[in-house]
Every structure is written in C-alpha cells, then in structure tokens.
Amino acid sequence: MLRYLPFLLILALWIYAFVDCLNTPEKEVRGLPKIAWVIVILLFGEVLIGPVAWLIAGRPRAAAGPRGHGRGGERKWVAPDDNPEFLKSLRRDQGDPPPAA
C-alpha cells in the first residue's frame, strides 16, 4: 500500500491544481491566460512541474489586510450574530428602538 502513496500524492496535487485553476476567475490569474495554465497543468502534471508552477506563479495571491476585508477592499462574509448591520435590521423589523450608543 505504501508504494502507491507517492503516486496518490502526485495525483491529488494534480487534481487540486486543475480544479483550482478552473475555479479561479480569469481576471485573477497571473502570468499566463487561464487556458494556457490549464494546458500546462494537464501536460506537465505527471512530473509535478505544471501543478507546482500554477501554485507558485499562476494562482492569485491572498490579500493581506485588516480582518473582515477581502481582496480589493471588499468585505468578507460575517456571521449574522457578529454583524451589527444585520442586528439593526432585526430590531427595525420588530419595531424595537435602536440601542443608545
């Protein structure tokens, strides 16, 4: 069973990189056009060059910034019980006055 482990790890990385590339929006892909990355991943996946190249050079970088903000200044999803705007909308719907600030 252990002799198949390297093959399974390579296959898992190959599939991960392929699916990740397909799910990445075209405008966020770096380096090459998206279709070129798909071809590189498929052609060179068996020797790990394609998937590793995608993960290093083609995949969009994670945006570093304050918590609650995504890429481009967009707000990330916040759980309803942590979202003050959602809680205010519940109070308005119930007719309760807003709390004093």
Side-chain angles (χ1 to χ4, degrees):
M1 180 67 183
L2 277 176
R3 67 181 139 170
Y4 297 117
L5 187 62
F7 173 74
L8 292 175
L9 291 175
I10 291 170
L11 182 65
L13 181 64
W14 195 2
I15 291 171
Y16 173 78
F18 180 69
V19 171
D20 187 46
C21 182
L22 290 179
N23 287 331
T24 302
E26 179 76 37
K27 63 181 180 177
E28 294 182 14
V29 174
R30 298 183 299 144
L32 297 172
K34 185 174 178 176
I35 189 70
W37 277 116
V38 169
I39 293 170
V40 166
I41 290 169
L42 290 177
L43 288 179
F44 300 107
E46 200 169 325
V47 290
L48 289 179
I49 294 172
V52 170
W54 163 253
L55 294 174
I56 292 173
R59 188 171 195 221
R61 292 186 180 150
R67 185 174 172 225
H69 288 85
R71 197 175 329 220
E74 299 173 4
R75 293 196 52 93
K76 286 186 177 182
W77 182 83
V78 179
D81 57 343
D82 291 336
N83 188 342
E85 294 164 6
F86 177 74
L87 296 174
K88 286 178 190 175
S89 72
L90 287 179
R91 288 188 194 102
R92 279 193 309 264
D93 291 344
Q94 293 176 352
D96 294 342

